[in-house]
């Protein structure tokens, strides 16, 4: 596995997948570990382009909206019945009722039947865990459900990911001095004071306040194009800004 910290973009779409564009999902590699960050619709197939899912060190889920976690179901089928069985259960860091939701799909009272492939562990604000030389720190962010962003560090480099978030101090703290800030820019404008997503200007402002080195714009909703959102975010940030594209591998 690579010793450098890299981000592979598996999917960026919101709120549903499109042709060639799965929903939110990323593969972070570094320090001898591989972590699938968010499992939006369509990302399990894309994950297999870049790694054997059985080799994953962990899975990290920001929140339980389908465009960020629905492909855990596909992963269950692949890992349990599709010949992709891991040597040991893969830790899944997610909000508390993630396992119950999966169990309900299978008509089971709990997720014990998945214990041979997945090990569910509950996220909370300030949760930290290390896999190889990858250190993951999760922070609660503002959304319309329980939601988290994550900071991933290895070898003196830092990647921050917003998950889905409205403007909030925790997001700025999470991104502080990050080498790469992967940030949603879902909406064109806030409606009636609603603060559950970021505009491109919000994303750029967080990046500027946090002093990040590079901003990567993702999770752009249907009222914007990724190109438009990136231009607007770059104007607010005043620093290097790129669009997350499926299949791209970014060195942090």
């Amino acid at each position: 596995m690579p010793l450098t910290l890299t981000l592979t973009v598996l999917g960026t779409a919101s709120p549903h997948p499109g042709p060639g564009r799965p929903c939110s999902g990323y593969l972070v590699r570094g320090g001898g570990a591989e972590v699938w960050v968010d499992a939006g619709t369509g990302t399990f197939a894309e994950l297999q382009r870049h790694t054997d899912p059985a080799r994953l060190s962990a899975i990290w889920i920001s929140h339980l909206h389908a465009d960020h976690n629905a492909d855990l179901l596909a992963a269950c089928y692949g890992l349990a019945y599709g010949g992709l069985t891991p040597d040991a259960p893969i830790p899944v860091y997610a909000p508390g009722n993630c396992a119950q939701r999966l169990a309900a799909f299978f008509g089971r009272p709990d997720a014990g039947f998945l214990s041979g492939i997945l090990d569910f562990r509950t996220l909370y604000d300030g949760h930290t865990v290390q896999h190889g030389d990858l250190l993951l720190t999760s922070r609660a962010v503002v959304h319309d459900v329980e939601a988290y962003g994550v900071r991933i560090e290895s070898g003196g480099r830092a990647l921050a990911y917003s998950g889905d978030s409205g403007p909030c101090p925790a997001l700025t703290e999470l991104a502080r001095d990050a080498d790469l800030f992967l940030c949603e820019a879902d909406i064109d404008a806030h409606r009636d004071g609603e603060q559950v997503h970021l505009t491109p200007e919000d994303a750029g402002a967080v990046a500027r306040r946090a002093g990040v080195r590079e901003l990567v714009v993702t999770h752009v909703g249907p009222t914007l194009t990724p190109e438009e959102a990136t231009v607007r975010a770059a104007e607010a940030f005043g620093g290097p800004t790129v669009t997350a594209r499926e299949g791209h591998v970014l060195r942090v």
Side-chain angles (χ1 to χ4, degrees):
M1 295 182 188
L3 296 178
T4 54
L5 185 59
T6 62
L7 170 74
T8 301
V9 179
L10 307 177
T12 65
S14 168
H16 62 85
R21 191 178 174 216
C23 289
S24 292
Y26 311 91
L27 175 63
V28 177
R29 289 166 145 167
E34 297 182 274
V35 180
W36 182 14
V37 174
D38 272 346
T41 315
T43 58
F44 186 64
E46 294 305 307
L47 179 69
Q48 293 170 75
R49 294 184 188 273
H50 303 279
T51 193
D52 176 355
R55 289 210 316 255
L56 287 172
S57 306
I59 300 170
W60 185 94
I61 302 296
S62 63
H63 65 291
L64 299 186
H65 283 156
D67 58 335
H68 291 257
N69 80 97
D71 257 25
L72 282 178
L73 181 60
C76 287
Y77 278 95
L79 298 173
Y81 314 120
L84 302 176
T85 306
D87 291 335
I90 299 169
V92 180
Y93 304 100
N97 58 346
C98 181
Q100 287 75 16
R101 290 194 180 195
L102 277 175
F105 183 90
F106 287 97
R108 301 291 188 94
D110 58 55
F113 72 106
L114 296 174
S115 63
I117 58 169
L118 298 176
D119 177 9
F120 292 93
R121 306 182 186 185
T122 302
L123 281 180
Y124 54 83
D125 187 39
H127 179 277
T128 61
V129 68
Q130 188 147 353
H131 288 280
D133 289 330
L134 283 187
L135 177 66
L136 284 71
T137 303
S138 300
R139 289 296 311 274
V141 294
V142 173
H143 198 40
D144 55 357
V145 297
E146 180 184 2
Y148 298 90
V150 68
R151 183 182 181 95
I152 304 177
E153 298 171 276
S154 178
R157 312 295 285 179
L159 156 69
Y161 170 50
S162 65
D164 276 8
S165 176
C168 62
L171 191 57
T172 304
E173 294 167 16
L174 195 72
R176 182 75 61 198
D177 297 325
D179 296 285
L180 189 151
F181 180 34
L182 177 66
C183 188
E184 70 128 281
D186 190 85
I187 57 173
D188 181 51
H190 294 284
R191 297 179 299 179
D192 302 322
E194 189 176 67
Q195 299 286 305
V196 299
H197 282 293
L198 300 172
T199 65
E201 288 76 17
D202 292 330
V206 172
R208 186 183 68 251
R209 288 193 299 270
V212 307
R213 180 173 61 83
E214 182 178 14
L215 173 62
V216 180
V217 174
T218 192
H219 198 273
V220 176
T223 60
L224 293 164
T225 66
E227 294 77 15
E228 177 189 1
T230 301
V231 168
R232 288 170 51 178
E235 290 174 351
F237 174 34
T241 307
V242 299
T243 307
R245 301 285 188 191
E246 282 72 15
H248 282 190
V249 180
L250 304 173
R251 184 185 294 263
V252 178

